[in-house]
Amino acid sequence: MAEAWGRRGFLGLAGAAGLAAVTGCGADSGAGGGAGSGAAAQPKQGGRLRAVYAGGGAKEVLDPHVQSLFVDIARHKAMYEKLVELGPDLKPVPRLASKWDHDGTATTWRFTLRDATFHDGGNLVAEDVLYSLSRIVDPAVPERVAQSSLATLDLKRSKAIGPATVELVLTAPNAEFPALLAGIGTQIVRNGFKDPSKPVGTGAFRYVSFEAGRSMIASRYDDYWDEPARIEELHILSADAEARANAVQGGQAEYANDMTATFARTAEAGKTVRIVAAKASTMQAFVMKVDQPPFDNPDVRLAFKLLADRQRLVDVVLAGRGEVGNDLFGKGYQYYPAGLPQRERDVDRAKALLAKAGLIGKQVEIFTADASAGFVEAATLFAEQVAEAGVRLKVSTGSPQTYAKDLLTKGAIGNHRSGAMTIPQYFTDRLLSQSPFNVTHWRRPAFDSAFAAARAVTSEQERSAKYGVLQKTLRDEGGILAWGLPDYLVAVSAKVQGVQAVPPNTLDQGRFDKVWLA
């Protein structure tokens, strides 16, 4: 992250690359026309779009199966595609697979492939899918990010039924399998793909050049199956938050990802930049480790949940750009339990629980870092709220660069932010005994078994009911204090049209093949 472009570096790159203003630039009547607002401008062909993301320096990669940064995901999305993507409600939708079905037990699945071609002219066939999946789950390369979520794939029994049909077999039934194929790092590559520095995908843009920590350039792929992009050239650039803001305001970029509420308020006062807000599409939380004092006591966990003034946190930390959370991930997504009452602040009840636990007058340390916008501010404000019950919450800050990893082992309570993903995926990554990102240390074999049984149920209604029971247990007993659901904010130049207000990690987020320059 430290190697991402700062303001000076970004402007220097723009000059060195000879970036010029896109033809027809300048504020126009599109200003103020938010995403999906039906702006009057008609789609136009041509031009170059420069999109700027938080960078990862030398950690940025071209390998589509090794990615975790938004800038990597955006780059790979432009050039590669998945069999399945997620819609705005986080339900799976067809992409390179036009349809799919299973054997009635959700153990054997058949996917029908679209008539698509790779950038080298080769047709997409079933062998490309089998090769891609074998590359993803190769145990010799553990950094391929979808490896754990696709661990039940039995490739020895999987096969091509024909050029356009592939049969995939699992070692255990899983009705969520299509959604797993929409996860991060599941792109389809060419059979025999060996060299990530020479990308060959089926996406809307074909590779031109790449420099880690700085930029990638791609050009329109005219034979793209889902209608060729309107813009001719796409630049995906890396920069820190200040540089992204300055770039989109100063005309050095037309799209800036993941902006702060403070920037949004400033930008909306002008006419050259428009804010596209995906409402309440991420989560901010405090996470309590359920196996460490004092949070190994369920009364203390509940007391802290009762002490959170969620609306105040949203108003101050998010500048009002979001909704209050309810101690669960995934509000508004498929499988979120409907009718769940909102947890309200109750200081008196919290005091009684803390007195019972012997915590009144004691000090607890909260581990935080400036790793994400609002983390330190939220911890500081929450400390004031907890103090009203007679408990001192000492704010301790760590390294922003290593915070996500450090939080797994440091601090009994800390900050947590999650982007959009399916609720079963969130369970898999964070709430099972063997989950790689289990920051609350929620490890209950009975919970693991109940989740495995639930995802094997082929009836969506019955499966949803079983997930609902698990989510109620988590809300009542777990270590997640979800206080806010921030809007996901993107800033675009007034001349950019066609940007959709949808959650990150979904099909229509960052769809540069669908935008145009007025």
Side-chain angles (χ1 to χ4, degrees), residues 75-254:
R75 186 180 297 130
H76 300 147
K77 187 172 188 172
M79 298 186 293
Y80 296 95
E81 294 178 285
K82 306 171 185 175
L83 292 177
V84 180
E85 281 277 9
L86 298 175
D89 56 358
L90 279 293
K91 289 183 178 179
V93 295
R95 289 308 288 165
L96 286 179
S98 59
K99 61 181 181 180
W100 54 83
D101 204 351
H102 62 73
D103 60 353
T105 70
T107 304
T108 299
W109 292 78
R110 283 193 178 185
F111 293 81
T112 301
L113 305 182
R114 273 184 208 285
D115 183 11
T117 58
F118 286 92
H119 300 157
D120 63 1
N123 293 323
L124 170 72
V125 294
E127 282 76 11
D128 298 313
V129 175
L130 293 169
Y131 177 82
S132 299
L133 295 172
S134 68
R135 187 175 189 273
I136 292 167
V137 302
D138 183 353
V141 193
E143 60 266 31
R144 289 175 183 157
V145 294
Q147 203 163 98
S148 61
S149 62
L150 298 180
T152 60
L153 189 58
D154 187 346
L155 283 173
K156 290 183 179 178
R157 293 196 293 149
S158 300
K159 58 188 177 185
I161 300 300
T165 305
V166 62
E167 182 175 278
L168 301 177
V169 181
L170 309 180
T171 57
N174 189 342
E176 307 295 348
F177 184 58
L180 295 179
L181 293 173
I184 293 172
T186 56
Q187 279 81 356
I188 301 303
V189 298
R190 196 88 159 87
N191 186 10
F193 174 79
K194 298 289 186 186
D195 186 356
S197 70
K198 299 176 181 176
V200 178
T202 59
F205 296 91
R206 59 198 312 169
Y207 174 77
V208 174
S209 66
F210 168 67
E211 185 176 359
R214 297 198 172 204
S215 68
M216 184 202 78
I217 299 175
S219 62
R220 179 171 61 203
Y221 177 44
D222 290 331
D223 293 329
Y224 183 48
W225 65 270
D226 190 17
E227 186 179 342
R230 295 175 175 118
I231 60 172
E232 292 180 358
E233 191 170 274
L234 173 65
H235 293 209
I236 295 182
L237 310 172
S238 303
D240 63 26
E242 183 183 0
R244 296 199 301 278
N246 289 329
V248 74
Q249 286 188 311
Q252 284 85 35
E254 290 76 36

Side-chain angles (χ1 to χ4, degrees), residues 34-59:
S37 65
Q42 294 298 309
K44 292 183 178 179
Q45 300 290 321
R48 172 185 56 190
L49 185 132
R50 295 161 294 184
V52 59
Y53 286 74
K59 294 180 180 178

Side-chain angles (χ1 to χ4, degrees), residues 326 336-342:
N326 199 17
Y336 189 85
L340 201 63
Q342 175 64 48

Side-chain angles (χ1 to χ4, degrees), residues 283-290 295 301 304-314 317 325-329 343 365-369 373-386 393-395 403 407 411-418 426 431 439-440 474-475 478-485:
M283 181 183 79
Q284 283 252 19
F286 300 113
V287 284
M288 301 172 278
K289 292 186 173 63
V290 301
F295 301 109
R301 298 200 294 272
F304 271 59
K305 292 174 183 176
L306 292 169
L307 285 171
D309 185 341
R310 291 168 173 77
Q311 189 60 58
R312 178 72 176 155
L313 284 159
V314 169
V317 179
N326 199 17
D327 300 338
L328 275 181
F329 172 81
R343 177 163 281 137
E365 191 168 287
I366 183 167
F367 180 55
T368 186
F375 269 15
V376 177
E377 292 86 350
T380 303
L381 180 54
F382 187 49
E384 295 175 9
Q385 296 172 359
V386 171
L393 200 55
K394 179 184 176 185
V395 178
Y403 181 75
L407 186 61
I413 181 171
N415 296 85
H416 169 62
R417 179 192 184 196
S418 178
Y426 190 86
L431 293 166
V439 289
T440 61
L474 284 170
R475 182 175 176 274
I480 297 174
L481 192 174
W483 59 263
L485 308 174

